[in-house]
Amino acid sequence: MNKTIIAAIVITALVVGGIVFWWQNSTWSNEVNRLNNEIVDLRQQIAEGQPEDPQEENGDEPDPGTEPADGTEIAQKPNPGWEQYFPNYDETTLEGKPVKEVRMLLGEPPVLFRNIAVNPEFSREIWVYRPYDEDPTGLYLYFKGGSLVNSRLDEFSGLDSLLGDTDFWYN
């Protein structure tokens, strides 16, 4: 009787083990087939010239450092007519305007430093345009919490001075 119980246990273990192995193998095969089909679809989209990045398909904002989603050209100068928003070197009529509105009026900035915070009110951005061809003047725009808080037209002295402005970045 002892041998019968052991035989039943061994047979049950083999049957259960076989079923588990078959189930895992079929699940694995299905997943491999699904992934292979997805790879084929993505290769076909690339060959047809469709966007391969799902972010482009749903209209989300692009990652920082990528080309603008709407095909806007990034130029050194702000859009024509920008002078009307800057009556003097340290003042602008755009103060308090949101980032999107300023971008629409002036165009994509050629230089952008961004510090994104979990709480949007603590996010910071600095944009720099080079508005004149033969002049080293830079148009600096300072954003806090998604709104323009300061601007200035001043000699463009390089990017190091922007990163070292701890009053702006930390306050």
Side-chain angles (χ1 to χ4, degrees):
M1 183 140 132
N2 200 9
K3 288 183 182 183
T4 309
I5 293 174
I6 291 175
I9 291 172
V10 169
I11 290 172
T12 302
L14 288 174
V15 168
V16 169
I19 290 172
V20 168
F21 176 78
W22 171 81
W23 176 72
Q24 285 288 44
N25 192 32
S26 67
T27 302
W28 176 257
S29 295
N30 289 341
E31 183 67 13
V32 168
N33 288 336
R34 185 188 70 75
L35 290 172
N36 282 334
N37 288 337
E38 190 173 327
I39 289 169
V40 168
D41 289 344
L42 289 172
R43 285 184 178 159
Q44 185 177 2
Q45 285 179 358
I46 291 170
E48 293 172 359
Q50 294 179 353
E52 60 183 288
D53 186 3
Q55 187 177 44
E56 292 178 15
E57 292 174 356
N58 64 20
D60 286 349
E61 294 251 343
D63 291 334
T66 61
E67 286 294 318
D70 62 359
T72 304
E73 296 272 334
I74 297 175
Q76 291 293 317
K77 296 180 180 184
N79 289 340
W82 67 272
E83 296 94 345
Q84 68 182 329
Y85 305 113
F86 299 90
N88 63 45
Y89 284 102
D90 294 325
E91 184 178 308
T92 180
T93 59
L94 297 175
E95 194 166 310
K97 301 284 186 192
V99 168
K100 286 185 179 187
E101 186 175 340
V102 175
R103 181 175 281 124
M104 184 181 69
L105 294 171
L106 300 180
E108 281 297 320
V111 177
L112 181 144
F113 288 102
R114 183 180 290 158
N115 182 14
I116 299 172
V118 174
N119 184 343
E121 84 178 61
F122 297 116
S123 293
R124 304 286 189 263
E125 290 186 31
I126 298 178
W127 298 2
V128 182
Y129 295 94
R130 299 284 309 274
Y132 307 113
D133 288 329
E134 300 298 324
D135 187 342
T137 300
L139 172 60
Y140 299 86
L141 302 176
Y142 297 85
F143 295 87
K144 288 184 180 181
S147 297
L148 185 65
V149 295
N150 194 11
S151 69
R152 66 184 168 99
L153 275 165
D154 198 1
E155 181 178 356
F156 183 69
S157 58
L159 304 177
D160 290 339
S161 64
L162 296 175
L163 294 174
D165 186 358
T166 56
D167 286 338
F168 173 74
W169 293 109
Y170 297 122
N171 294 324

